[in-house]
Amino acid sequence: MVMGGLPVRRVLVKGPSMSPTLQHGDVVVVVGKWPKPGDVVLVTWDDRPGQVSVKRAKEPSEQGWHVEGDNPFASTDSRTLGPARVHAVVMFRLWPRPGRL
């Protein structure tokens, strides 16, 4: 569950898929903990090794989590890739506008 063996990590957001919640270039803090629907999460897909994405957790399934970007016009997510593996929950934005999500 904890990516890289660390309980807390900083992650740089790339791309427009989580706009307006998060913007390209935002730095967020993630914590390895169990997600709940509605959380913003750090995920991977088995079909895309090496790709790590930030998405919104919608609902759990037997194969993983259904996740979607907040910007449906600029997000590749569970609607096309299927269930994702959640590794951590985004707790807050560190930069440029610090605050909880």
Side-chain angles (χ1 to χ4, degrees):
M1 176 78 172
V2 179
M3 192 169 218
L6 299 173
V8 176
R9 284 184 64 161
R10 291 178 306 203
V11 174
L12 174 65
V13 176
K14 294 184 179 180
S17 72
M18 285 303 293
S19 179
T21 306
L22 296 170
Q23 304 295 322
H24 177 81
D26 285 358
V27 176
V28 296
V29 173
V30 301
V31 176
K33 68 176 209 167
W34 293 108
K36 61 184 183 306
D39 283 346
V40 177
V41 293
L42 191 68
V43 301
T44 59
W45 282 274
D46 291 340
D47 291 344
R48 292 201 171 179
Q51 178 180 330
V52 179
S53 298
V54 176
K55 303 293 179 189
R56 185 161 313 270
K58 294 293 186 174
E59 61 185 3
S61 72
E62 289 183 17
Q63 296 83 26
W65 274 83
H66 181 87
V67 297
E68 295 180 7
D70 286 356
N71 180 354
F73 303 107
S75 182
T76 303
D77 49 39
S78 290
R79 292 173 286 193
T80 55
L81 298 173
R85 186 173 306 191
V86 173
H87 296 278
V89 175
V90 176
M91 298 306 293
F92 58 90
R93 180 182 11 249
L94 187 61
W95 190 86
R97 299 170 317 279
R100 286 190 64 80
L101 293 184

